[in-house]
Amino acid sequence: MLENKDQSRTSLEELGEFGLIDHLTEHFKISQKTTVKGIGDDAAVLSFPDTHMVVTTDLLIEGVHFDLSYVPLKHLGYKAVMVNLSDVYAMNATASQITVSIAVSNRFPLEALEDLYAGIQAACINYKVDLVGGDTTSSTTGLVISVTAIGQASGDTIVGRDTAKSGDLVVVTGDIGAAYMGLQILEREKAVFKVNPNNQPDLEQYAYIVERQLKPEARKDVVNLLASLEVLPTAMIDISDGLSSEILHICKNSNVGCNLYEEKIPLDPQVISTCEEFGLDSTTIALSGGEDYELLFTIAQTDYPKIKANPNFTIVGHITDQGEGAHLITRANTKIPLVARGWNALNSD
Amino acid sequence: MLENKDQSRTSLEELGEFGLIDHLTEHFKISQKTTVKGIGDDAAVLSFPDTHMVVTTDLLIEGVHFDLSYVPLKHLGYKAVMVNLSDVYAMNATASQITVSIAVSNRFPLEALEDLYAGIQAACINYKVDLVGGDTTSSTTGLVISVTAIGQASGDTIVGRDTAKSGDLVVVTGDIGAAYMGLQILEREKAVFKVNPNNQPDLEQYAYIVERQLKPEARKDVVNLLASLEVLPTAMIDISDGLSSEILHICKNSNVGCNLYEEKIPLDPQVISTCEEFGLDSTTIALSGGEDYELLFTIAQTDYPKIKANPNFTIVGHITDQGEGAHLITRANTKIPLVARGWNALNSD
């Protein structure tokens, strides 16, 4: 699909490297007061008076993090930004700028990169962040996308992973496991397509989980909501690798243990029904499936009244002393040690 | 050389992703007051009271930007940092933090990545910058390195590309063309090695140019020197793609023209002799060879007395009105239009 067989498409050689950056970024507008100078110099210039800055970066590799046979480039651009903004929000900070570098082989026509940047731009507009820098270069094989996100927060509201306390409640936003099951649907359809290219998949009954995989939304709203509820989490992390792996990061960095309750884990009905269809255990998927980009945080018990009625939040357990370890309490009331398995690990099981 | 045939080497699978980051970065120390929180959370936290921040990022791809058959990984790590710090210094700013993300295939043993990070660490120590974040992931093919550098400057001393004025002098630091000729030597030795693997190359007579290619140094000293001389350049850029391409960036962004003088271009004797050996024109190499990471800047004529006797600086020309175009005045006193050809272009000529 992406091979440049269509002669009406524009090859990257025609444009050259400098022309390419200019072309791809010409419609990006600067919206943040903190952006003094954006794209077009050796470096961007930002000004953050009297605040703390947060910086995070991620590298996405074709064939490892995405498969262009079923991921539209516009969605990929959007998601590449989300992955990084999610890390900023997980610090309880506001995202304000991003840089994007890409490496592409000549098999991509200009129009493909325009699609990618249309997705990046949609993310910038929806989340009010400025694209302030980047780099385009050639690749010998696949597409590589590197995004760095910059955000800000006052020093006393930044929330790390290392400050959860025994007795704190463990809270998850939204629902989890959906992005992983969406990936299973897309992988299955790819396999079907290989056998019969004329087959038109009907993905309607999987719409939610496929969208969670292809077009995740970082939880900027949660940072704002927590502020308006006057809740400062004691620790926070985003769920990129599965609930189990993330809570273990908090436990390790905070020197605490935890008990999570299987019956409390928030699952969308589509996740449950699709797990049944695939013969998978939905709890396992929620614990070890990744890419949901929900937030996982801990709060002091005194904050419980502020969040208990809120449909965005589910209390899934509590923090314990480190000596008690990290466990899942099953519906059958058995206690199972939590194990860190990234979602990639699931594929080889 | 890099294949993991030696069974005493440690495979990356043994360590896992989280273990890998911890292992590679455990000896990195934080030295900057502005680094509030480094590696180990969703994002790094930095604090820059009352200053402007600069951010720049670069992506290095195996087979495009480096060839591991003759680039030692320690040098590669060092150079990957230099490339980015050079962009910060080109804004007349001080570099303070970097993030480094890498994608590697399993053909790299742990020891190879340790070498890479040893080079990164050497750069951090020599240039007093903190490694504050990053990401390691797998790659389906080669090595990918993404570096983001962050720096600071007061708002009124940042120097962009768009503020050169007609009548300004054009200044180059150090000498140029050496990194490109060093690359020619390394490429030639690689070809010789393929024919006769027992041949031990004697590179002593090329020591300077090979070092300029393998271990460039970003000109942090120039930023400090200009401050001590009380010279604020009117425009500045680093020379990563060759003098011609860089001066054209300044001309385009500043809406000016320029005259450069061939006889003034600073060349090391090793560049001249190696160009003769290869039958190449040394002026062409200086104009279009890249990766020297020297600085190119413009100054008001009134600043001339402050820099004229300094061995770090060479005045190579002057800025003109835009209508006059951008030219090289040759030794034979002919006027040739400057053309932007990146150093990659040279290889296909």
Side-chain angles (χ1 to χ4, degrees):
Chain A
M1 170 178 94
L2 286 160
E3 297 295 323
N4 187 7
K5 289 170 184 162
D6 178 352
Q7 293 304 313
S8 74
R9 295 197 159 193
T10 314
S11 78
L12 298 183
E13 289 95 334
E14 287 174 44
L15 213 55
E17 186 197 337
F18 304 123
L20 181 58
I21 297 172
D22 290 348
H23 178 84
L24 292 173
T25 60
E26 66 185 337
H27 299 301
F28 282 71
K29 302 260 183 296
I30 296 297
S31 67
Q32 290 282 339
K33 279 185 206 163
T34 51
T35 306
V36 179
K37 184 173 220 171
I39 289 171
D41 215 305
D42 297 286
V45 179
L46 315 178
S47 173
F48 295 92
D50 298 325
T51 56
H52 280 50
M53 243 191 65
V54 298
V55 178
T56 179
T57 189
D58 261 304
L59 197 54
L60 302 179
I61 310 283
E62 184 179 350
V64 177
H65 300 98
F66 55 89
D67 181 335
L68 290 177
S69 64
Y70 54 73
V71 177
L73 279 158
K74 189 172 175 180
H75 285 79
L76 180 62
Y78 195 88
K79 185 169 175 173
V81 179
M82 287 307 116
V83 170
N84 280 273
L85 297 189
S86 182
D87 280 325
V88 172
Y89 302 140
M91 302 299 287
N92 202 36
T94 307
S96 47
Q97 285 90 9
I98 57 168
T99 67
V100 177
S101 297
I102 58 168
V104 277
S105 65
N106 285 329
R107 77 181 160 97
F108 291 90
L110 176 62
E111 288 72 13
L113 297 186
E114 287 174 344
D115 285 347
L116 182 74
Y117 272 75
I120 292 167
Q121 190 171 19
C124 285
I125 291 168
N126 290 355
Y127 287 77
K128 294 195 170 51
V129 297
D130 292 344
L131 178 71
V132 296
D135 186 22
T136 63
T137 186
S138 49
S139 146
T140 46
T141 51
L143 176 64
V144 175
I145 308 174
S146 173
V147 180
T148 297
I150 294 160
Q152 51 187 311
S154 69
D156 49 4
T157 59
I158 286 179
V159 178
R161 300 175 176 179
D162 53 355
T163 38
K165 297 270 180 303
S166 182
D168 286 351
L169 301 175
V170 178
V171 185
V172 168
T173 65
D175 57 76
I176 56 179
Y180 182 80
M181 291 315 297
L183 182 63
Q184 301 316 302
I185 293 295
L186 291 166
E187 293 276 3
R188 186 176 68 181
E189 292 308 324
K190 180 185 173 183
V192 169
F193 180 82
K194 275 185 182 165
V195 176
N196 179 5
N198 294 316
N199 183 62
Q200 285 296 318
D202 178 8
L203 297 181
E204 201 179 309
Q205 62 170 308
Y206 308 110
Y208 176 69
I209 59 175
V210 168
E211 174 144 353
R212 291 282 281 177
Q213 169 59 226
L214 291 181
K215 191 166 174 288
E217 300 287 352
R219 298 304 306 257
K220 179 185 184 177
D221 60 323
V222 167
V223 174
N224 297 334
L225 181 57
L226 288 169
S228 69
L229 293 171
E230 297 182 352
V231 173
L232 184 67
T234 53
M236 187 150 65
I237 193 169
D238 74 320
I239 305 181
S240 52
D241 285 325
L243 178 59
S244 185
S245 167
E246 309 303 353
I247 191 68
L248 287 169
H249 277 304
I250 288 181
C251 288
K252 184 186 166 197
N253 290 23
S254 300
N255 299 310
V256 295
C258 72
N259 286 324
L260 302 188
Y261 295 87
E262 182 180 20
E263 62 184 351
K264 301 290 187 187
I265 295 172
L267 300 173
D268 186 85
Q270 246 177 50
V271 171
I272 296 168
S273 61
T274 313
C275 278
E276 279 169 9
E277 190 183 334
F278 279 74
L280 292 168
D281 175 54
S282 59
T283 301
T284 303
I285 299 307
L287 289 174
S288 301
E291 298 197 286
D292 289 313
Y293 301 106
E294 294 292 342
L295 294 172
L296 169 70
F297 59 90
T298 56
I299 58 168
Q301 286 190 24
T302 49
D303 280 334
Y304 172 66
K306 297 178 188 169
I307 73 147
K308 69 174 178 180
N310 198 302
N312 287 285
F313 302 131
T314 307
I315 296 164
V316 295
H318 60 268
I319 297 296
T320 63
D321 288 336
Q322 188 170 25
E324 295 184 39
H327 292 93
L328 178 76
I329 315 295
T330 67
R331 285 191 184 84
N333 208 25
T334 56
K335 211 168 170 177
I336 302 174
L338 289 169
V339 183
R341 297 196 306 176
W343 62 278
N344 280 323
L346 285 180
N347 294 319
S348 53
D349 282 358
Chain B
M1 169 180 95
L2 287 160
E3 297 295 323
N4 187 8
K5 289 171 184 164
D6 178 352
Q7 293 304 314
S8 74
R9 295 196 159 192
T10 314
S11 79
L12 297 184
E13 290 94 334
E14 286 173 44
L15 213 55
E17 186 198 337
F18 303 124
L20 181 59
I21 297 172
D22 289 348
H23 178 85
L24 292 173
T25 60
E26 66 185 339
H27 299 301
F28 281 71
K29 303 259 182 295
I30 296 297
S31 66
Q32 289 282 339
K33 279 186 203 163
T34 51
T35 305
V36 179
K37 185 172 220 170
I39 289 171
D41 215 305
D42 297 287
V45 179
L46 314 177
S47 173
F48 294 91
D50 298 325
T51 56
H52 280 49
M53 242 191 66
V54 299
V55 178
T56 180
T57 188
D58 261 304
L59 197 54
L60 302 180
I61 310 282
E62 183 179 351
V64 177
H65 300 97
F66 55 88
D67 181 335
L68 290 177
S69 65
Y70 53 73
V71 177
L73 280 158
K74 189 172 174 180
H75 285 79
L76 179 63
Y78 195 88
K79 184 168 176 174
V81 179
M82 287 309 116
V83 170
N84 279 273
L85 297 189
S86 182
D87 280 325
V88 172
Y89 302 140
M91 302 299 287
N92 202 35
T94 308
S96 47
Q97 285 90 8
I98 57 167
T99 66
V100 177
S101 297
I102 58 168
V104 278
S105 65
N106 286 329
R107 77 180 161 98
F108 290 90
L110 176 62
E111 288 72 13
L113 297 186
E114 287 173 345
D115 284 348
L116 182 74
Y117 272 75
I120 293 168
Q121 190 171 19
C124 285
I125 291 169
N126 290 356
Y127 286 77
K128 293 196 171 50
V129 297
D130 293 343
L131 178 72
V132 296
D135 186 21
T136 63
T137 186
S138 49
S139 146
T140 46
T141 51
L143 176 64
V144 176
I145 307 174
S146 173
V147 179
T148 297
I150 295 160
Q152 51 187 311
S154 69
D156 50 4
T157 59
I158 285 178
V159 177
R161 300 175 177 179
D162 53 357
T163 38
K165 298 269 179 304
S166 182
D168 287 351
L169 302 176
V170 178
V171 186
V172 168
T173 65
D175 57 75
I176 56 179
Y180 181 80
M181 291 315 297
L183 182 63
Q184 300 316 302
I185 294 295
L186 291 167
E187 292 277 3
R188 185 176 69 181
E189 293 307 322
K190 180 185 172 183
V192 169
F193 181 82
K194 276 184 181 164
V195 176
N196 179 5
N198 294 318
N199 184 62
Q200 286 295 319
D202 178 10
L203 297 181
E204 201 179 310
Q205 63 171 306
Y206 308 110
Y208 176 69
I209 60 176
V210 168
E211 174 143 354
R212 291 281 282 176
Q213 168 60 225
L214 292 181
K215 192 167 174 286
E217 300 286 351
R219 298 304 305 259
K220 179 184 184 178
D221 60 324
V222 167
V223 174
N224 297 334
L225 180 57
L226 288 170
S228 69
L229 294 171
E230 297 181 353
V231 173
L232 185 66
T234 54
M236 186 151 64
I237 193 169
D238 73 320
I239 305 180
S240 52
D241 285 326
L243 178 59
S244 185
S245 168
E246 310 302 353
I247 191 68
L248 286 169
H249 277 305
I250 287 181
C251 287
K252 184 186 168 199
N253 291 24
S254 301
N255 299 311
V256 295
C258 72
N259 286 325
L260 302 188
Y261 295 86
E262 182 180 20
E263 62 183 351
K264 300 290 188 188
I265 295 174
L267 300 173
D268 186 86
Q270 247 177 50
V271 171
I272 297 168
S273 61
T274 313
C275 278
E276 280 170 9
E277 190 182 336
F278 278 74
L280 292 168
D281 174 54
S282 58
T283 301
T284 303
I285 298 308
L287 288 174
S288 301
E291 299 197 285
D292 289 313
Y293 302 106
E294 294 292 342
L295 294 172
L296 170 70
F297 60 90
T298 56
I299 58 168
Q301 287 190 23
T302 48
D303 280 333
Y304 172 66
K306 296 178 188 169
I307 72 147
K308 68 174 176 180
N310 198 302
N312 288 285
F313 303 130
T314 307
I315 296 165
V316 295
H318 60 267
I319 297 295
T320 63
D321 288 336
Q322 188 170 26
E324 295 184 38
H327 293 92
L328 178 77
I329 315 295
T330 67
R331 285 192 185 83
N333 208 26
T334 57
K335 212 169 168 175
I336 302 174
L338 289 169
V339 183
R341 297 195 307 176
W343 62 278
N344 279 322
L346 285 181
N347 294 318
S348 54
D349 281 0

